[in-house]
Amino acid sequence: MTELGNKTMRKDGRRRDQLRPIKVTRNFIKYAEGSVLMEMGDTKVICTASVEEKVPSFLKDKGQGWVTAEYAMLPRATHDRSPREAVKGKQGGRTLEIQRLVGRSLRAVLDMTQLGERTIWIDCDVIQADGGTRTASITGAFIALADACAVLKKKDLIKQRPMLDYLAAVSVGKIGGRAMVDLAYDEDSAAEVDLNLVMTGSGRFVEIQGTAERYPFDRKDLDEFMSLGWQAIEQLVNLQKNLIGKLD
Amino acid sequence: MTELGNKTMRKDGRRRDQLRPIKVTRNFIKYAEGSVLMEMGDTKVICTASVEEKVPSFLKDKGQGWVTAEYAMLPRATHDRSPREAVKGKQGGRTLEIQRLVGRSLRAVLDMTQLGERTIWIDCDVIQADGGTRTASITGAFIALADACAVLKKKDLIKQRPMLDYLAAVSVGKIGGRAMVDLAYDEDSAAEVDLNLVMTGSGRFVEIQGTAERYPFDRKDLDEFMSLGWQAIEQLVNLQKNLIGKLD
Amino acid sequence: MTELGNKTMRKDGRRRDQLRPIKVTRNFIKYAEGSVLMEMGDTKVICTASVEEKVPSFLKDKGQGWVTAEYAMLPRATHDRSPREAVKGKQGGRTLEIQRLVGRSLRAVLDMTQLGERTIWIDCDVIQADGGTRTASITGAFIALADACAVLKKKDLIKQRPMLDYLAAVSVGKIGGRAMVDLAYDEDSAAEVDLNLVMTGSGRFVEIQGTAERYPFDRKDLDEFMSLGWQAIEQLVNLQKNLIGKLD
Amino acid sequence: MTELGNKTMRKDGRRRDQLRPIKVTRNFIKYAEGSVLMEMGDTKVICTASVEEKVPSFLKDKGQGWVTAEYAMLPRATHDRSPREAVKGKQGGRTLEIQRLVGRSLRAVLDMTQLGERTIWIDCDVIQADGGTRTASITGAFIALADACAVLKKKDLIKQRPMLDYLAAVSVGKIGGRAMVDLAYDEDSAAEVDLNLVMTGSGRFVEIQGTAERYPFDRKDLDEFMSLGWQAIEQLVNLQKNLIGKLD
Amino acid sequence: MTELGNKTMRKDGRRRDQLRPIKVTRNFIKYAEGSVLMEMGDTKVICTASVEEKVPSFLKDKGQGWVTAEYAMLPRATHDRSPREAVKGKQGGRTLEIQRLVGRSLRAVLDMTQLGERTIWIDCDVIQADGGTRTASITGAFIALADACAVLKKKDLIKQRPMLDYLAAVSVGKIGGRAMVDLAYDEDSAAEVDLNLVMTGSGRFVEIQGTAERYPFDRKDLDEFMSLGWQAIEQLVNLQKNLIGKLD
Amino acid sequence: MTELGNKTMRKDGRRRDQLRPIKVTRNFIKYAEGSVLMEMGDTKVICTASVEEKVPSFLKDKGQGWVTAEYAMLPRATHDRSPREAVKGKQGGRTLEIQRLVGRSLRAVLDMTQLGERTIWIDCDVIQADGGTRTASITGAFIALADACAVLKKKDLIKQRPMLDYLAAVSVGKIGGRAMVDLAYDEDSAAEVDLNLVMTGSGRFVEIQGTAERYPFDRKDLDEFMSLGWQAIEQLVNLQKNLIGKLD
């Protein structure tokens, strides 16, 4: 971002409120019930939804289902190669934090009773990372989940898709004193504030995670983040509506 | 919380905007440069600040310091005994998430250059948990950190305490449709929304982490959470001012 | 210990056969069936006894109970901060050795048949360490265990407390050629011999663990350790009798 | 494979000596010095080659480089979802075996002295598995490695690409008594013998790994495997020649 | 190997096709159903076969048994002391590769249905390593397995030993351009090609694992390896026949 | 032990004060500087002493050496096969306790300054266990250590063997009310008291570890244990004197 004038203000020429180009490739992995290659600019995440016909032990015989998520990055998804977590022998704090966020977000818009006694495993594997991998994971995983539910419905295992609303996510940041959405990696590194929003199709909040990376922010900033965030999420939700249709 | 009338609406008789009784015992552990037993109601956390005269390798020769935090609970800090993480062989996702939050929050109000090439280790060990352990950890850790810095100043290792502002945290939740602050465990379990706020003495946001546990929330809810949260944090900051004095 | 004359011979003015000031705070943690803050001088250990209504698999359907113990230190319980075992991913040899000792000692004075098919988990968490943490753990854990059994009795789950005798422990050491009891950390570091005694209220041995840290010791030394140790343990047992009453 | 006549003998219509359709997408990941999406039928592997400007400690100051490989599968690369190794906390025996094979094979055709004191990390991440993932990994990794070396050459860090020969791999199996190449997953599961061949462009063996899954095989079988294997590898090498050009 | 003339060409005076002195001590460990101290020159491996009266969960109620193997080396089995895997907290890739090979090889000559619903655990513990530990493990483990089966037969738990054929293994290598069998450690380190052969008593292949350590090898080499290998294995099989008798 | 009369009172016909047959095979492993197969009855331990020309970091530049020990059992050293610690991913509490005891005991009779800046690694690997593995480990390890030091002396790396005294260990137990030495496994399982003694050649104590397995013991018992133990250790020390000669 060389200057911060009104028009072309971002490195890649985007406006402050503009999402990067989005590409959704469904049925990307042939075995998974739902699978999406989610691309937001140079960020690329493979999101799969896998159905398992049992629930975790704490839900046994409760007449409801479960959704859980796992997240990972290929070692060379990033500018410098990062060590493989399977080699280190454990998932790092950032990984755990993200996959907990993804799972919690999806569960917030699902009617677990309608899902029945089964688990849907969401896997978000980042193959190329250019900022916003957790938000791309959520937006893409929702589509994969919808597709997996469509398969269940087709097989008469559920009566209708158990989604209560659409769900999408976007990052908002403040850089050089100006708020903007959908930060690429270079922008994210320079951000004074980094905030991730997960919202429903009807504009309600599921998750807000805001961090003052350098300078604490005030109420006015927060209001601006919310507005910018929602208009971006609205676009993502519209895309979801086009792809997966009306939630029945 | 048996009823939700205007006056005595919470199980323990508190108003919606009322903090639990707070008790801060400084110099609780004789070896640590700073140490605090932080009590908010029945939540009790030992917060220590330990000075180490070196920095992590990624900060070598950069002329600045570092603050990092670790968090744990005693096995019987909770209603049912929970397995010891050292026995399981790894820290869980919740633990990692909280200790990352504590460290990040404290770093946001510290001038690392003034701290010099040293690390301050913050340890937050919950000995009794009744909700709000992460926010009590942050509020208490800030005091322990200030005390450790006072020791450094007394030894002429730093010229002044490197804090840029006070820092405190509180939880806000929505239960039965009503927002309230500083949730005890029973309230937390019943909350529809759970939001943790970390703010500076001047009322700016350092961290916002809000989660719709059951029902997504809207902008009006968020505004109320912010207002309730800040008036509570203001009280905690005033307490800090009385205890550790003016930031020099 | 600046001099070794007959009267005031120890750094803190104690006689060779004198225990440090002891303080027992019962019901220290509200959730645990039994819980004690055990202080011997500057050594402070939280001992909790937690009842679990099942037994380990090797005791299934044998009509008896079990007692097991875990031990840990807070990172800054010691002069220098020591790394957290949950972060290192495993409990160290010293930790395992101590918790095996605590569990074995308590089991030696318990009638497991009277306890019924349940497990009592003993947790000894050292919050400040100034020598003798394992012996303070045993003496304190016995009280917590007695209190937990009193709860079981009150609930009519057992007929009587299943303790066969009182149980306490003390360290004995030889420093500068002279035997003394209840070593503080500075004394322990200087000791030529370090011996831990666990004995019953009737003066019988449950555990003897003696180590020649520098110079091997002879039979006469051993006799002196036994005598010094027992008179100290007798005081601890008397304290236990006052606190928990007659074993029924 | 419904029948084993002379013409259309395999489930997918292939002849016994016929490779599946191959697709190589170079520069698949923008950050890596070399990166290839290697597809053999439905088997898809992302192979990246990452340059690190240092060598493992055992090669310090020996004036030579190193190549090492890591291998993994996405959880839903397979028909049923398999648990993530980072969650299990360790890489399985199969994973370690394959990545050792990939690294050893590549090193066999590299002049480490020409490579200089740097390490090239090969990552083979299977995003969809339909048999032959280890052989596709080797064939694809060789191309990624060549591309990474071309980058080094362009930057004048090496004088020429240090490859001594081309390198490709293929599986050969015996099913229903008949030998065939490049087994898909269904074929692999039914195979009586499973043999993996890694060979150079000049037709010499780098690795032979043959396993009698059900029935031990004899010398005549082995001869047939070698012939079938080499004619398949020759095609893969020709493809490599077209893509990466003459080895200089 | 100082010279490569026709007669005495190896360091220890052996011909190219000559095995090292072999010594088999049966019933070496008194508790194990089958146990062998297998010595090939200075390579010494304790092989035990332990019967467990249950099968792994994936074989439950399938009316068949299982054989699985574990392999390890004592820390000082090698010229320099190598770290203990139990201390490192995991088995290395080489260990896993070898134990998978041992288990797979033994299973290839066993009729699992005749074995009944039980598992035989093979443990190969190298107490002194001078090359060829994996092949000595296989040859020795086969004898221990036969002895354990004889015990089962004696107890009328099985009708006959479930071995379909004898099984032995040997290493073949190429050093200084000449092929030779049963490489000692010094030879192995100098080998251009290292190949391990596992064959049945009737001369069929169970496993071939060949690696070009330095220079890729051709078809003619391979033929020579096979011939040398088989004449060596034939001797080992004859030894097995003498020891364990006819397979009934 | 079927009866407890005066003459033949133990299962294997031994008197109460009688050691099992002892066999020491030196130079058992060709690579180790010192190595012993130590047999006491059916208990067999391989003890090796390995010299490493560096010290742990906490001893750097202190002009002294170090001795450390590791202990393990082969899986089938015991009546039932026990899981391999390398597979479980960690050493158990019993293992750590024993290896700490072995290392501490040996260090107590060594002049670390004379040893010079080097570490001697002691490995005690039990290949067959019939009670008393820890005491056999100590007695055997002392011989291996002496032999390793003899090698150092021969190489002129040290002027004399740095042992201050001989060192041996024995178990003493009380069974059916009678004390006896050197318990075999069956006896150990039945023991009311289990006590391990480590003593020097001059009859001084290095370690006493006594445990009341069932019934606490008194001072008179202890006296008897000490007497029985020392006369047994005296025999072991005499054996050591014959084998390794006068300590110079």
Side-chain angles (χ1 to χ4, degrees), chain B residues 29-33 42 50 70 72 74-78 81 84-87 89 91 121 123 125 127-130, chain C residues 29-33 42 50 70 72 74-78 81 84 86-87 89 91 121 123 125 127-130:
Chain B
I29 299 298
K30 72 168 183 172
Y31 305 112
E33 283 79 5
D42 278 338
S50 302
E70 287 182 6
L74 295 204
R76 199 55 199 274
T78 46
R81 184 181 184 276
R84 206 173 276 271
E85 292 187 324
V87 172
Q91 297 179 292
W121 290 81
D123 286 289
D125 285 89
I127 62 175
Q128 194 171 278
D130 189 25
Chain C
I29 299 299
K30 73 169 182 172
Y31 304 113
E33 282 78 5
D42 278 338
S50 302
E70 286 183 5
L74 294 203
R76 199 54 197 276
T78 45
R81 184 182 185 276
R84 205 174 275 273
V87 171
Q91 297 179 291
W121 290 81
D123 286 289
D125 286 88
I127 63 176
Q128 194 171 278
D130 190 25

Side-chain angles (χ1 to χ4, degrees), chain D residues 16-31:
Chain D
R16 294 198 300 132
D17 61 354
Q18 194 179 348
L19 291 167
R20 289 174 289 179
I22 299 162
K23 191 171 162 199
V24 176
T25 311
R26 284 155 91 189
N27 302 318
F28 188 69
I29 299 299
K30 74 169 181 170
Y31 304 113

Side-chain angles (χ1 to χ4, degrees), chain C residues 15-247:
Chain C
R15 292 187 318 275
R16 295 196 300 133
D17 61 353
Q18 194 179 348
L19 290 167
R20 289 175 289 180
I22 300 163
K23 194 173 160 197
V24 176
T25 311
R26 284 155 91 190
N27 301 318
F28 189 70
I29 299 299
K30 73 169 182 172
Y31 304 113
E33 282 78 5
S35 73
V36 160
L37 174 62
M38 180 77 202
E39 301 180 64
M40 294 193 70
D42 278 338
T43 288
K44 303 180 185 190
V45 189
I46 301 176
C47 306
T48 59
S50 302
V51 179
E52 188 189 26
E53 288 296 327
K54 65 173 189 183
V55 286
S57 54
F58 69 90
L59 285 181
K60 218 137 218 181
D61 302 320
K62 303 227 167 141
Q64 68 161 95
W66 189 244
V67 172
T68 187
E70 286 183 5
Y71 169 96
M73 285 211 280
L74 294 203
R76 199 54 197 276
T78 45
H79 196 275
D80 297 307
R81 184 182 185 276
S82 49
R84 205 174 275 273
E85 292 188 324
V87 171
K88 291 197 291 182
K90 61 175 173 183
Q91 297 179 291
R94 182 185 169 275
T95 296
L96 291 169
E97 199 173 294
I98 294 176
Q99 68 190 21
R100 281 159 59 90
L101 170 69
V102 175
R104 214 163 52 219
S105 298
L106 293 169
R107 286 192 297 271
V109 291
L110 235 78
D111 179 340
M112 294 301 180
T113 319
Q114 277 185 49
L115 181 54
E117 291 212 355
R118 54 180 60 86
T119 298
I120 300 188
W121 290 81
I122 301 296
D123 286 289
C124 299
D125 286 88
V126 180
I127 63 176
Q128 194 171 278
D130 190 25
T133 62
R134 81 186 67 189
T135 49
S137 292
I138 291 169
T139 308
F142 181 80
I143 302 170
L145 178 59
D147 285 350
C149 289
V151 168
L152 290 175
K153 193 181 159 191
K154 211 176 207 167
K155 292 185 184 170
D156 279 328
L157 291 167
I158 55 177
K159 285 200 193 130
Q160 52 182 76
R161 288 190 295 192
M163 278 97 167
L164 302 170
D165 203 341
Y166 298 90
L167 184 86
V170 81
S171 69
V172 192
K174 192 172 182 183
I175 307 170
R178 308 200 56 163
M180 53 193 70
V181 298
D182 191 20
L183 277 54
Y185 178 75
D186 282 347
E187 296 173 328
D188 192 32
S189 311
E192 294 128 32
V193 178
D194 185 13
L195 186 138
N196 291 290
L197 278 182
V198 186
M199 295 178 75
T200 65
S202 54
R204 298 177 77 88
F205 300 103
V206 164
E207 289 275 340
I208 300 179
Q209 302 215 337
T211 298
E213 296 283 353
R214 283 186 188 81
Y215 306 104
F217 54 100
D218 61 20
R219 196 73 168 266
K220 224 183 81 237
D221 292 315
L222 188 59
D223 283 340
E224 190 178 9
F225 299 157
M226 298 295 129
S227 301
L228 269 175
W230 166 239
Q231 64 79 8
I233 284 176
E234 209 170 13
Q235 295 172 53
L236 294 166
V237 166
N238 283 335
L239 177 68
Q240 289 178 336
K241 287 180 182 167
N242 288 336
L243 291 170
I244 62 177
K246 212 165 61 101
L247 297 177

Side-chain angles (χ1 to χ4, degrees), chain F residues 83-101:
Chain F
R84 205 173 277 271
E85 293 188 323
V87 171
K88 291 196 292 184
K90 63 175 173 183
Q91 296 179 294
R94 181 185 169 277
T95 296
L96 290 169
E97 200 172 294
I98 293 177
Q99 68 190 21
R100 282 160 58 91
L101 169 68

